[in-house]
């Protein structure tokens, strides 16, 4: 090919947030994902910076899935002048509407609170982006079907394959064609596995020239014990002692799986039927999207006509703030599923503030806890911590803290090796992103050792030319 293909990582190069990969071909710029940095303050501060490339010069954005660390920067990009199309799967579009609007409302509320309480260092604190920015950028979305090559630029085609991570999540392939020759680049985004009770596994990819693959669990192996059975054992232990189980769960993905598993365990007689509260407005909306996207489900939509086949017997949704506060005060035994999944904010903190001081209660982590997050801090130090700071108050830590890695929606290194073995030809280059440096390095080394493929960890803003 005469025209080179250039690739830069503008995010997710030394961690699991802020996913943004710039691809240039034939004077066209594409951005693969456009996510927010999350975690400690120094990372979040990066969200206030403009991209190192003119937003208006970006031809299009291509999304792998709708989690905030992959789509959350889009309103900022719009604010900087981007007006091109945003390509995604149909499920991703439905979830992105929920996530971006919820995030925008939260940003405006935080800015308003900062101004009223005067806790901000800024005289006139502003939201990272506004509801208007979110509404505007959503008008640029173009939802596309999977498993078809679609022309999205001069010599550029796009194809989506199911990734199995959340509803709509898609392995993203770009084909670049010039002078009757072509090269294919494949971006896994966040990739799932075969152990979900509700989501189909990732689809195989048979060949690619360049592969960009995540490494969230590139150096870790999930337990192969039946996750539902293990989950049920923990739940029963807490419920039998009259405790309240608080489950921080990502509103998109984990909440739906956790709710289904609780109902399954009840119907199997493995746990008692107790009140189960979903205290997450976004989680409620994500449930509706989940029901509508049969192409990603194992269980189909039979539960729409028979809710008893999905939901726990005493399932409720806290829709208002008052209902949420009542849920924090109810007696056990009970189960509360709430966001955020990494304890970075949201209603779950009110539940923990109320529940952590009682040894009968239990906190169950069901998803990845990023470095620097409150969830990771508690996860790593629960055995030695006596208190946890929540809303500027030190809360006694007496409740049992449990982590279930095998409930994560991310593949571990064994899952990913099995997926890679389905390739019929070897990529010329594998680039490893979306993981902490240790995970990236370990995963790249494992790919080279087990498959003999050349694999290189992502480096901040280094330009790869192909």
């Amino acid at each position: 090919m005469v025209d080179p293909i250039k690739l830069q990582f503008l995010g997710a190069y030394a961690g699991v947030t802020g996913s943004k990969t710039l691809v240039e071909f034939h004077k066209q710029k594409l951005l693969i994902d456009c996510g927010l940095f999350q975690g400690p303050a120094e990372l979040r501060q990066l969200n206030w910076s403009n991209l190192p490339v003119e937003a208006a010069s970006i031809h299009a954005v291509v999304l792998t899935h709708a989690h905030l660390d992959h789509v959350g920067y889009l309103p900022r990009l719009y604010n900087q002048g981007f007006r091109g199309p945003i390509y995604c799967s149909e499920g991703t579009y439905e979830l992105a509407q929920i996530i971006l609007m919820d995030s925008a409302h939260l940003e405006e509320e935080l800015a308003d609170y900062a101004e009223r309480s005067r806790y901000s260092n800024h005289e006139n604190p502003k939201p990272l982006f506004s509801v208007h920015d979110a509404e505007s950028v959503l008008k640029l979305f173009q939802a596309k079907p999977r498993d078809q090559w679609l022309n999205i630029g001069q010599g550029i085609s796009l194809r989506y394959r199911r990734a199995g991570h959340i509803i709509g999540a898609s392995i993203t392939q770009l084909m670049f064609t010039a002078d009757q020759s072509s090269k294919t680049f494949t971006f896994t985004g966040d990739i799932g596995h075969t152990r979900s009770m509700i989501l189909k596994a990732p689809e195989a990819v048979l060949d690619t020239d360049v592969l960009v693959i995540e490494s969230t669990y590139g150096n870790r192996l999930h337990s192969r014990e039946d996750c539902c059975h293990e989950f049920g054992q923990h739940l029963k232990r807490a419920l039998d002692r009259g405790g309240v189980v608080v489950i921080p769960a990502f509103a998109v993905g984990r909440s739906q799986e956790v709710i289904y598993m609780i109902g399954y365990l009840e119907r199997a007689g493995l746990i008692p039927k107790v009140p189960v509260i979903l205290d997450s407005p976004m989680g409620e909306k994500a449930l509706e999207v989940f029901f509508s996207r049969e192409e990603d489900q194992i269980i189909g939509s039979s539960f729409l006509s028979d809710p008893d086949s999905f939901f726990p017997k005493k399932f409720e949704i806290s829709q208002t703030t008052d209902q949420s506060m009542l849920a924090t005060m109810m007696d056990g035994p009970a189960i509360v599923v709430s966001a955020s999944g990494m304890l970075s904010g949201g209603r779950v903190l009110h539940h923990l503030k109320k529940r952590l001081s009682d040894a009968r209660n239990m906190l169950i982590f069901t998803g990845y806890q990023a470095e620097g997050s409150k969830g990771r801090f508690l996860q790593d130090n629960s055995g030695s911590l006596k208190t946890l700071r929540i809303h500027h108050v030190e809360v006694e830590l007496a409740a049992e803290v449990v982590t279930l890695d095998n409930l994560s929606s991310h593949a571990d290194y064994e899952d990913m090796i099995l997926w890679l073995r389905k390739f019929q030809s070897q990529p010329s280059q594998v680039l490893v992103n979306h993981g902490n440096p240790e995970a990236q390095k370990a995963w790249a080394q494992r790919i080279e050792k087990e498959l003999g493929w050349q694999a290189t960890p992502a480096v901040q803003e280094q330009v790869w030319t192909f």
Side-chain angles (χ1 to χ4, degrees):
M1 299 178 72
V2 175
D3 291 329
I5 304 165
K6 296 181 179 180
L7 184 150
Q8 282 180 277
F9 293 102
L10 307 182
Y13 38 71
V16 297
T17 66
S19 292
K20 304 177 193 74
T21 305
L22 182 67
V23 181
E24 298 185 57
F25 174 69
H26 199 63
K27 299 181 180 180
Q28 299 166 99
K29 296 183 178 74
L30 302 178
L31 199 60
I32 313 302
D33 285 335
C34 190
L36 283 180
F37 287 98
Q38 298 172 286
E42 59 268 25
L43 266 183
R44 299 197 307 274
Q45 187 62 34
L46 295 174
N47 295 321
W48 291 93
S49 301
N50 288 351
L51 290 185
V53 58
E54 282 273 344
S57 72
I58 297 172
H59 171 74
V61 175
V62 179
L63 301 177
T64 63
H65 68 288
H67 274 149
L68 202 62
D69 60 325
H70 291 259
V71 304
Y73 193 83
L74 283 169
R76 286 275 298 154
L77 192 70
Y78 180 89
N79 194 265
Q80 294 166 43
F82 173 75
R83 296 296 184 271
I86 300 170
Y87 299 107
C88 64
S89 71
E90 293 162 331
T92 293
Y93 173 56
E94 292 182 15
L95 290 175
Q97 293 179 78
I98 298 168
I99 288 172
L100 290 180
M101 292 306 298
D102 180 85
S103 184
H105 282 293
L106 180 59
E107 286 291 335
E108 291 190 346
E109 289 172 7
L110 288 173
D112 180 63
Y113 176 74
E115 185 173 22
R116 286 187 288 104
S117 64
R118 299 185 179 180
Y119 83 80
S120 174
N121 293 327
H122 301 282
E123 185 175 335
N124 184 25
K126 300 290 186 183
L128 182 63
F129 51 83
S130 67
V131 169
H132 173 74
D133 293 331
E135 290 173 337
S136 299
V137 81
L138 282 166
K139 294 176 182 177
L140 303 178
F141 275 59
Q142 294 188 24
K144 300 296 181 182
R146 291 198 185 114
D147 303 320
Q148 299 178 25
W149 283 108
L150 305 163
N151 179 41
I152 63 167
Q154 186 177 348
I156 305 176
S157 299
L158 163 70
R159 180 172 70 173
Y160 281 130
R161 307 281 287 168
R162 187 180 64 245
H165 174 61
I166 62 171
I167 291 292
S170 301
I171 298 160
T172 300
Q173 294 191 286
L174 294 174
M175 183 185 296
F176 302 94
T177 305
D179 299 326
Q180 297 183 329
S181 66
S182 64
K183 286 185 178 179
T184 301
F185 283 49
T186 299
F187 302 82
T188 65
D190 292 352
I191 193 165
H193 50 71
T194 61
R195 294 181 299 283
S196 172
M197 294 185 71
I198 63 173
L199 291 177
K200 293 178 181 177
E203 290 181 291
V205 171
L206 301 183
D207 56 73
T208 192
D209 294 289
V210 175
L211 174 65
V212 179
I213 188 168
E214 68 133 316
S215 58
T216 308
Y217 286 107
N219 60 347
R220 293 172 68 179
L221 197 63
H222 301 326
S223 168
R224 291 310 191 261
E225 182 178 342
D226 183 336
C227 65
C228 192
H229 176 72
E230 185 181 358
F231 184 42
Q233 288 181 320
H234 292 303
L235 290 175
K236 188 174 189 307
R237 186 167 68 253
L239 297 175
D240 282 352
R241 64 189 181 223
V244 175
V245 181
V246 180
I247 305 174
F250 301 108
V252 176
R254 288 304 82 200
S255 290
Q256 293 80 57
E257 182 122 21
V258 165
I259 290 165
Y260 177 74
M261 290 176 71
I262 294 169
Y264 176 89
L265 289 164
E266 282 186 359
R267 291 187 291 276
L270 298 175
I271 62 171
K273 295 179 175 65
V274 301
V276 178
I277 311 296
L278 173 62
D279 193 10
S280 169
M282 191 194 301
E284 179 185 11
K285 294 175 183 175
L287 264 174
E288 295 174 6
V289 175
F290 172 78
F291 293 157
S292 71
R293 306 312 317 180
E294 291 186 55
E295 70 272 15
D296 284 337
Q297 301 171 13
I298 291 174
I299 53 181
S301 60
S302 60
F303 47 80
L304 291 178
S305 57
D306 181 17
D308 289 342
S309 68
F310 186 90
F311 293 108
K313 186 68 174 179
K314 299 179 181 179
F315 179 72
E316 301 175 31
I317 297 175
S318 292
Q319 296 175 319
T320 67
T321 303
D322 287 344
Q323 288 173 329
S324 176
M325 296 309 294
L326 284 173
T328 67
M329 294 183 285
M330 69 179 178
D331 295 328
I335 301 170
V336 175
V337 181
S338 189
S340 77
M342 294 188 286
L343 310 187
S344 57
R347 293 183 175 185
V348 71
L349 293 180
H350 295 281
H351 292 283
L352 295 185
K353 195 173 179 180
K354 174 72 174 179
R355 306 295 182 183
L356 284 181
S357 59
D358 190 334
R360 294 175 301 169
N361 298 335
M362 178 181 288
L363 167 66
I364 302 182
F365 287 112
T366 61
Y368 184 80
Q369 304 299 305
E371 296 280 355
S373 67
K374 189 184 290 288
R376 183 62 172 267
F377 175 75
L378 178 55
Q379 188 180 57
D380 290 346
N381 299 284
S382 61
S384 57
L385 282 178
K386 296 190 183 306
T387 63
L388 182 71
R389 192 171 182 80
I390 301 176
H391 298 150
H392 309 292
V393 175
E394 293 295 333
V395 178
E396 180 188 359
L397 181 56
E400 184 178 357
V401 178
V402 172
T403 296
L404 293 177
D405 278 340
N406 53 354
L407 269 178
S408 173
S409 60
H410 285 270
D412 61 22
Y413 67 75
E414 186 174 278
D415 297 315
M416 291 191 288
I417 283 289
L418 291 173
W419 181 76
L420 291 175
R421 289 191 188 281
K422 296 175 183 176
F423 277 68
Q424 294 181 348
S425 59
Q426 174 181 331
S428 61
Q429 178 69 62
V430 179
L431 299 175
V432 177
N433 73 336
H434 202 281
N436 65 45
E438 295 78 16
Q440 286 188 21
K441 182 179 178 181
W443 178 220
Q445 291 173 344
R446 187 171 295 275
I447 291 171
E448 292 186 347
K449 179 181 178 181
E450 296 202 22
L451 301 175
W453 299 358
Q454 180 182 351
T456 307
V459 178
Q460 181 179 359
E461 296 185 19
Q462 176 179 335
V463 178
W464 274 268
T465 302
F466 302 91

